[in-house]
Amino acid sequence: LLSLGTGTTSEFDKTHTAEETAKWGALQWMLVIQQMTEAASSYMTDYYLSTVFQDLHSQNNYLRVQENALTGTTTKADDASGANMELLAQVGENLLKKPVSKDNPETYEEALKRFAKLLSDRKKLRANKTSY
């Protein structure tokens, strides 16, 4: 299973003072709650899937690809400008060089190549079985 995320921001790393949050209206609080819920949902889905694949001794058959530190215009899903597309391409290039996790030093580039080979080998195996 190759799970492709749309990326997240590092918004939750920011801290806010009581004075700031005291000025927030209902809309601001709703947006913060929505962001937290979406982030938790994404994290929990990844956690559960990862756990299931580990329990089945198939952890090499699951890969989540997600950039967790988007900033600026790269966080806007509706910005299809040429400049933003170039920034997103750079984010993707940089992500390929990052380790999959702190527990897995394999880079995303290495993991995706491994996944592609695994899928190719399985397709060849299926093709050979159907040719009999």
Side-chain angles (χ1 to χ4, degrees):
L1 174 65
L2 179 61
S3 175
L4 300 176
T6 58
T8 62
T9 67
S10 54
E11 275 294 307
F12 299 107
D13 293 340
K14 291 182 181 178
T15 57
H16 300 280
T17 65
E19 291 80 21
E20 286 177 311
T21 58
K23 297 174 187 173
W24 288 358
L27 181 60
Q28 180 67 32
W29 280 108
M30 287 174 56
L31 290 172
V32 168
I33 291 169
Q34 178 187 7
Q35 287 175 340
M36 290 174 64
T37 303
E38 288 173 3
S41 175
S42 175
Y43 171 78
M44 292 308 295
T45 300
D46 177 42
Y47 175 80
Y48 289 135
L49 285 171
S50 178
T51 301
V52 167
F53 276 82
Q54 286 176 20
D55 287 346
L56 296 172
H57 305 289
S58 299
Q59 55 269 25
N60 287 334
N61 294 334
Y62 174 72
L63 177 64
R64 172 73 174 169
V65 179
Q66 170 94 339
E67 173 56 64
N68 293 315
L70 294 177
T71 60
T73 59
T74 62
T75 64
K76 298 180 179 175
D78 61 347
D79 185 351
S81 67
N84 199 45
M85 293 295 105
E86 287 181 32
L87 283 172
L88 287 169
Q90 188 59 52
V91 166
E93 291 290 328
N94 293 341
L95 181 61
L96 287 173
K97 307 300 180 207
K98 290 182 179 181
V100 170
S101 71
K102 59 184 169 189
D103 299 328
N104 181 357
E106 180 181 42
T107 65
Y108 279 106
E109 183 174 24
E110 294 164 338
L112 288 167
K113 285 179 181 178
R114 178 180 50 78
F115 242 73
K117 180 166 179 13
L118 178 71
L119 291 172
S120 176
D121 290 348
R122 288 189 180 177
K123 182 178 180 186
K124 289 175 189 174
L125 184 65
R126 281 193 309 274
N128 287 338
K129 284 184 179 181
T130 59
S131 64
Y132 290 110

